[in-house]
Amino acid sequence: MLDSSQSMERFLASVERRAFRMAQIATNSTDDALDIVLEAMLSLVKRCGAKPEEDWKPLFYRILVNSIGVWYGRTRVRDRWRRWRGAVGSAMVGG
């Protein structure tokens, strides 16, 4: 019989490719996708490792989708900030 850490490792190995592809398509970035998947996996282990194994898959994908949503929010704010700074900087130089 497998202990819980071996079961979790086996589970994470079974979802890593699909999770990475989902994040890569969503972000259009390999680096961001890797970060998101790693964050989702760590979150699952920390928060849900003690839950029954049959609950891991839906929990993991919920965490992954939420992590992608957080990434979109951060990206949107960062892009707005950069546009604002660019507009302010060009107004100060031109004005």
Side-chain angles (χ1 to χ4, degrees), residues 32-56:
D32 289 337
L34 288 171
D35 289 343
I36 289 169
V37 172
L38 179 59
E39 180 181 310
M41 287 180 168
L42 288 172
S43 183
L44 178 75
V45 170
K46 286 179 186 175
R47 295 187 206 167
C48 306
K51 294 190 183 281
E53 190 172 342
E54 60 269 9
D55 293 346
W56 292 347

Side-chain angles (χ1 to χ4, degrees), residues 9-24:
E9 285 181 33
R10 186 175 37 88
F11 169 75
L12 293 175
S14 75
V15 296
E16 69 182 335
R17 284 180 183 252
R18 181 171 185 233
F20 172 71
R21 190 67 184 133
M22 286 174 63
Q24 191 177 35

Side-chain angles (χ1 to χ4, degrees), residues 12-85:
L12 293 175
S14 75
V15 296
E16 69 182 335
R17 284 180 183 252
R18 181 171 185 233
F20 172 71
R21 190 67 184 133
M22 286 174 63
Q24 191 177 35
I25 289 169
T27 63
N28 201 27
S29 167
T30 299
D31 291 337
D32 289 337
L34 288 171
D35 289 343
I36 289 169
V37 172
L38 179 59
E39 180 181 310
M41 287 180 168
L42 288 172
S43 183
L44 178 75
V45 170
K46 286 179 186 175
R47 295 187 206 167
C48 306
K51 294 190 183 281
E53 190 172 342
E54 60 269 9
D55 293 346
W56 292 347
K57 190 171 186 175
L59 290 169
F60 173 73
Y61 283 107
R62 173 59 57 198
I63 293 167
L64 179 65
V65 168
N66 288 344
S67 296
I68 291 169
V70 168
W71 177 87
Y72 272 118
R74 286 183 194 149
T75 301
R76 193 172 344 148
V77 168
R78 184 179 61 230
D79 290 347
R80 281 188 196 158
W81 175 250
R82 286 179 180 162
R83 282 195 303 269
W84 180 80
R85 284 187 62 201

